[in-house]
Amino acid sequence: MTVEPAPTPAGSTTRLGAPPGPASAKPAADSDDEARARRTAQEQWVRLRHLERQLHDGAALRISALALRLGMLRHRMPSDEQQFQAAVEAIQDELHLVLQELRDVAGMLYPPLLDEAGLGPALREAAARCSRSVRIDAGTERFGPAAEGAAYFAVLGCLAAEPREGRDDPVEVVVRGESGDNGDGRTLVLLVFGVDPCHASTVHDGVRLLGGTAVTGETGLITVRIPCE
Amino acid sequence: MRVALAEDGALFREGLLMLLKAAGHEVVACAAGGDELVALLRTQPVDVAILDIRMPPEPDGGLVTAERLRAVHPELGLLFLSHYAESHYLMRILQIGTDSIGYRLKEKVGSVDVLTDTLTRIADGEIVIEPMLAKRLVERPRNERKSVVSALSEREIDVLRLMAEGRSNTGIAGQLFVTPKAVEKHIANIFGKLGLHADASEQHRRVLAVLTYLRSQRDSETSDR
């Protein structure tokens, strides 16, 4: 785990929607930050435990069962050719399911398409699996594995939640690169429109350790900025 | 059939080699990477080259290798194997060519019958797409896509999905329990609704029907704001 960076400037917390307070608000903001950092850390461990369970209850269990089925086949080899073919086919089908489950878990760790093709293709694939209507506007620019991973899972987090009651607005996601003023340091800028603005604080926690921020605008637009390589 | 094979995973490569030989195919060249295969095939032709997508030259050597092989042997059949069935790769594969080309999951070519059927269809000029992916492409409940497909009836969508798998009219008829004549009628309606006119060959229009569909989805996703 990386070392916690310098405390977030008070300004960035006020941008999250809390009204900018007088000098006395600063300690409160710090404790808010601490509470959120703790919650983020806890969620990370819950996520890891969930992934381990998914491996255990899914792929591992299927493979164990396959070992038994192969043992049965060895013990009682079907005399009938058709039965034998059916038994082998069933085992191959089961292996396909094992691989599908491993692909699911791999996708939750770090989607292979994100690594190979970048945010645009990876987000489009994710959008296509989503029941809501999602529009992705992203070029081919690359931002490095950390910023891309954080941005990808930020969008996924926003899409996972149910839309607000009675609303099924189309979601729009824009990905842009931004160069620093004096040419040094690039920033990945992510705009998410059409999701509940309350996601901004979760997204902020997810990108904070990378020096990133997430803020909500008046129109409910979430703007995420992540410094990148 | 004369085939060549490039795959960087030694275990899978050896397994596939055994299966190809068991199926009675002649494996002319077998390599751990794309560059090696291009060198091996410089002077000798094969019917189909089987390529892992994710292999050297990184990151997706299979696609680069395919383009280099096709530049030398334009008639060469190509079978891409991957651990993932993604529409992103399908689009890139179809940019390489829409004849004699296939994209399947590695674990789905694990029998002599399936492997030979896949290779034969590719050698015959067909497009072979992993059925799971074809199904996902046509059935996804996407709003943007609905606009393209909304013009098609449910039965026509079934037919388009099976076309996307690269099936023949007889194959589609068998799957849907209808006569080949009925399938022809559905396909004519699909061509009409998608605006594909009769001046192109049947095989060409089938591919265009699938591509029109895939592209419309892609265009709506990448359009500029």
Side-chain angles (χ1 to χ4, degrees), chain B residues 187-206 208-209 212:
Chain B
I187 291 179
N189 286 342
I190 293 171
F191 288 162
K193 288 180 181 175
L194 295 182
L196 300 170
H197 298 295
D199 51 343
S201 77
E202 166 84 6
Q203 176 67 21
H204 196 54
R205 283 203 292 168
R206 292 173 85 87
L208 287 177
T212 303

Side-chain angles (χ1 to χ4, degrees), chain A residues 92-93 96 99-100 103 106 112-113 115-117 121 124-125 127-128 130-131 133-137 172 174, chain B residues 54 59 83-84 86-89 105 107-108 110-111 132 136 140 142-144 220-225:
Chain A
Q92 286 188 322
D93 287 348
H96 169 65
L99 284 165
Q100 286 294 90
R103 287 173 184 125
L113 195 59
D115 183 31
E116 282 165 42
R124 272 175 213 121
E125 245 349 274
C130 182
S131 57
S133 168
V134 186
R135 201 180 154 102
I136 307 289
D137 177 5
E172 296 212 35
V174 181
Chain B
R54 203 173 174 179
H83 182 54
Y84 296 97
E86 307 259 23
S87 55
H88 169 75
Y89 283 122
L105 279 174
E107 79 265 22
K108 285 292 188 181
S111 82
M132 194 180 83
R136 186 154 26 111
R140 272 177 193 165
R142 298 285 310 285
N143 287 358
E144 298 99 289
S220 66
E221 280 168 347
T222 53
S223 60
D224 286 329
R225 289 155 60 98

Side-chain angles (χ1 to χ4, degrees), chain B:
Chain B
M1 196 177 299
R2 284 166 61 85
V3 297
L5 165 65
E7 152 75 56
D8 59 344
L11 265 179
F12 188 79
R13 185 176 66 239
E14 292 308 313
L16 192 55
L17 189 62
M18 282 198 294
L19 197 63
L20 284 165
K21 284 179 177 167
H25 301 298
E26 186 188 346
V27 183
V28 177
C30 183
D35 295 340
E36 201 186 322
L37 191 77
V38 171
L40 286 169
L41 291 185
R42 193 150 288 148
T43 51
Q44 50 185 344
V46 291
D47 298 311
V48 179
I50 304 172
L51 305 166
D52 181 18
I53 291 183
R54 203 173 174 179
M55 68 172 175
E58 298 293 344
D60 32 35
L63 300 172
V64 188
T65 304
E67 281 168 347
R68 293 174 62 197
L69 289 173
R70 274 265 167 110
V72 185
H73 311 287
E75 303 288 302
L76 174 72
L78 296 168
L79 170 57
F80 294 92
L81 294 181
S82 174
H83 182 54
Y84 296 97
E86 307 259 23
S87 55
H88 169 75
Y89 283 122
L90 179 62
M91 290 308 296
R92 292 194 55 190
I93 287 167
L94 293 178
Q95 278 162 10
I96 295 172
T98 51
D99 286 311
S100 301
I101 210 156
Y103 176 30
R104 299 217 60 177
L105 279 174
K106 285 181 174 177
E107 79 265 22
K108 285 292 188 181
V109 291
S111 82
V112 166
D113 290 349
V114 175
L115 187 58
T116 297
D117 176 63
T118 302
L119 290 171
T120 308
R121 285 169 60 193
I122 291 171
D124 287 348
E126 286 187 35
I127 294 183
V128 181
I129 296 171
E130 182 60 49
M132 194 180 83
L133 176 61
K135 188 166 182 281
R136 186 154 26 111
L137 286 170
V138 181
E139 286 178 356
R140 272 177 193 165
R142 298 285 310 285
N143 287 358
E144 298 99 289
R145 197 170 299 144
K146 269 182 202 150
S147 60
V148 191
V149 182
S150 59
L152 304 180
S153 72
E154 232 171 83
R155 208 356 90 91
E156 284 160 3
I157 291 173
D158 289 340
V159 173
L160 183 60
R161 173 169 63 78
L162 292 164
M163 280 167 72
E165 289 179 16
R167 288 183 192 273
S168 67
N169 286 10
T170 324
I172 295 172
Q175 291 279 316
L176 297 180
F177 304 106
V178 297
T179 63
K181 202 87 198 144
V183 172
E184 269 173 42
K185 209 170 142 243
H186 287 310
I187 291 179
N189 286 342
I190 293 171
F191 288 162
K193 288 180 181 175
L194 295 182
L196 300 170
H197 298 295
D199 51 343
S201 77
E202 166 84 6
Q203 176 67 21
H204 196 54
R205 283 203 292 168
R206 292 173 85 87
V207 173
L208 287 177
V210 175
L211 284 181
T212 303
Y213 179 76
L214 295 176
R215 282 206 191 113
S216 65
Q217 158 216 356
R218 198 176 170 81
D219 291 347
S220 66
E221 280 168 347
T222 53
S223 60
D224 286 329
R225 289 155 60 98

